Amino acid sequence: MYGISSSVNRLLARAIVGLTLVASQAFAVDLVPDALGDFLREEADPISPEQPDLFDEFGFEEGQSGTYRTPDGRRLEVEAYRFQDATGSLAAYQWIRPAGGDFVPYGERAVQKGRTTVIHFGNFAVRMIGDEAFGEHIEAMLSFLPRVALQAEPPVLKYVPEQDLIPFSGRYVLGPESLTSVAPEVPPSVAAFRYGTEAQFVRYESAAGELRMILFYYPSPQIARGQLEEFEALPDVLVKRSGPLLAAVLSPPTADAAERLLSRVRYVAEITVTHRTVGRHEDLATLIIDIVIFCALLALLMTVGGGIVAGSRILARRFWPNSVLAPSESDTMVRLDLEVRPGGRGPR
C-alpha cells in the first residue's frame, strides 16, 4: 500500500507541475511586441544574458528576443531584459551599450552605433540590432512594456565629475562581480556591499595619463567614514571622503593627477525646509466667524425647510384633500380649558 500511495503522490505532483507550466505559458506576457510599424515579428524566444553572473547581480528577472522582418526584406532583432528595479537595468545598459556612437532620444537614455541601439527605460534594458524602425514605433514599444517600474536615477550619478570624462566609460557597480570586473584593486569586503552600497566606475583623461576612479555611495556619512580607513590601507589607491561619498583613484600614473581629480568630488547635502501652515481652526477670529456663518446657514435652512413643509400641506389641503400630504380633519390645535370656575376653585 505504501508503494502505491507514493506512486500516486508522484503522479499527482507531476500533474500539478505540468498544469502550472501550462498555466504560466498561457498567461505569460511577451516582452517584445508583435509588430514595430512595418516590422512584423516572425518568432520570439526567451533568452539568457551573455554574462549571467553579472546580470544576476543586477537583479535580472527574464529576457526575450524577437526577430522582425518587413515585406521589403528589412530585418531587425529586438532583445528585452527585465530587472527587479531601474537601478539594475541602468547598470545593465551601461555594460551592454556600444562604445562610442551617438545618444538618441529613446526611453530615459539610449545610444546608437551603426546598426545597434541600446535603450534604458525603467527596469528594462532593450537592445536592437539591424535595420532601424521609426522613432514613434520604438517609443510605442517602450510604452507597452509589461510591468515597467520607473524611479529616480541613482544619486551617485549627480556627483560624478564631468571634466575630462572619457565618454561611455561609466560602469555601474552593484556587487562583487561587477566590482572585480572594473576595479580588482578594491576587495568586495572593503567596498562593503552589505550596507547597500552602490558605485559608479569611470575613466578620465589627464596630462599624466588615464585615470580610473570608482565613486562609492553609502547610506550615511557615518558608514563612509567607517570604511575610509580600510580604503586608505589599500596599496596604490588614493581615496577621499565627502559626506556619504568615497572616491578612490586606482593605480594613478601620478599622485598629483589623482589629487586633482579627487578635488572635483564634492558632496552637497540637499536640505528641504518645510513651513508649517496654520489651520483655520487654530485662528480664534476665523473660528468665531466660521461658527457665526454656520449658525446663520443652519437657521436659513430651518426656515426654508419649515416654509416648504407648511406650504406643501396648505397646497395639498386646497387642491389634493385626499392625498397623504393633506392634513386630516382631526389635525387641529389642542386647546386646554383653563378657565377659572365660579367660586375660584380652579379650572372647570
Side-chain angles (χ1 to χ4, degrees):
M1 290 295 293
Y2 175 76
I4 295 176
S5 61
S6 61
S7 300
V8 172
N9 291 335
R10 285 196 298 269
L11 291 175
L12 288 175
R14 292 177 183 176
I16 292 173
V17 172
L19 290 175
T20 303
L21 292 175
V22 171
S24 62
Q25 293 176 358
F27 292 100
V29 179
D30 287 338
L31 303 184
V32 294
D34 294 331
L36 276 171
D38 295 337
F39 289 89
L40 302 179
R41 193 178 73 187
E42 295 181 341
E43 57 184 9
D45 300 301
I47 56 173
S48 299
E50 300 170 359
Q51 300 172 284
D53 294 338
L54 188 64
F55 272 49
D56 286 344
E57 187 174 85
F58 296 157
F60 173 73
E61 290 185 338
E62 62 176 321
Q64 190 179 36
S65 173
T67 303
Y68 299 80
R69 196 178 299 274
T70 62
D72 58 0
R74 290 181 296 159
R75 188 177 182 277
L76 175 65
E77 183 175 348
V78 178
E79 300 173 355
Y81 301 92
R82 184 170 63 204
F83 296 82
Q84 293 178 359
D85 54 36
T87 302
S89 61
L90 170 63
Y93 159 79
Q94 289 189 348
W95 282 79
I96 66 175
R97 67 183 178 182
D102 301 315
F103 292 102
V104 288
Y106 299 145
E108 297 181 59
R109 49 181 63 85
V111 173
Q112 184 180 63
K113 182 179 181 181
R115 293 167 58 85
T116 301
T117 302
V118 178
I119 306 170
H120 169 234
F121 182 69
N123 57 329
F124 277 84
V126 179
R127 178 164 55 187
M128 301 186 299
I129 303 173
D131 296 302
E132 184 182 5
F134 287 110
E136 59 267 23
H137 298 149
I138 296 176
E139 290 294 341
M141 173 190 68
L142 297 176
S143 64
F144 284 100
L145 288 172
R147 289 182 288 173
V148 174
L150 299 175
Q151 66 185 58
E153 67 177 17
V156 67
L157 298 181
K158 297 187 297 184
Y159 304 105
V160 175
E162 296 292 336
Q163 183 180 348
D164 300 326
L165 176 67
I166 298 177
F168 306 101
S169 65
R171 296 291 185 272
Y172 209 75
V173 175
L174 287 175
E177 188 71 26
S178 50
L179 177 65
T180 305
S181 300
V182 294
E185 296 92 338
V186 180
S189 59
V190 175
F193 292 103
R194 61 186 178 275
Y195 296 123
T197 309
E198 299 179 1
Q200 175 76 359
F201 172 84
V202 280
R203 295 184 290 120
Y204 291 88
E205 296 176 345
S206 73
E210 183 179 299
L211 295 170
R212 296 183 301 127
M213 184 180 75
I214 184 165
L215 186 62
F216 292 90
Y217 189 91
Y218 290 91
S220 68
Q222 292 75 17
I223 296 177
R225 186 183 300 113
Q227 296 302 121
L228 179 60
E229 294 183 2
E230 298 190 35
F231 273 92
E232 290 176 337
L234 297 177
D236 207 18
V237 174
L238 291 183
V239 64
K240 170 189 175 180
R241 186 188 73 86
S242 178
L245 299 174
L246 271 181
V249 180
L250 313 172
S251 304
T254 63
D256 291 341
E259 289 291 347
R260 292 190 182 94
L261 176 58
L262 291 175
S263 66
R264 304 175 198 159
V265 178
R266 302 183 185 91
Y267 175 75
V268 179
E270 297 182 357
I271 301 177
T272 303
V273 180
T274 57
H275 299 278
R276 183 175 178 271
T277 303
V278 178
R280 292 180 64 88
H281 64 281
E282 297 178 298
D283 188 354
L284 182 59
T286 304
L287 180 61
I288 294 175
I289 294 174
D290 289 344
I291 292 175
V292 172
I293 293 175
F294 175 75
C295 292
L297 290 175
L298 187 60
L300 179 62
L301 289 174
M302 293 173 62
T303 303
V304 173
I308 292 174
V309 172
S312 62
R313 292 175 71 85
I314 292 172
L315 292 175
R317 173 184 289 180
R318 176 174 297 182
F319 299 104
W320 304 284
N322 297 324
S323 66
V324 177
L325 295 176
S328 61
E329 295 295 333
S330 61
D331 189 10
T332 58
M333 184 179 295
V334 177
R335 298 177 182 272
L336 297 177
D337 189 4
L338 300 178
E339 296 180 4
V340 180
R341 296 180 177 182
R345 296 182 179 179
R348 291 184 287 182

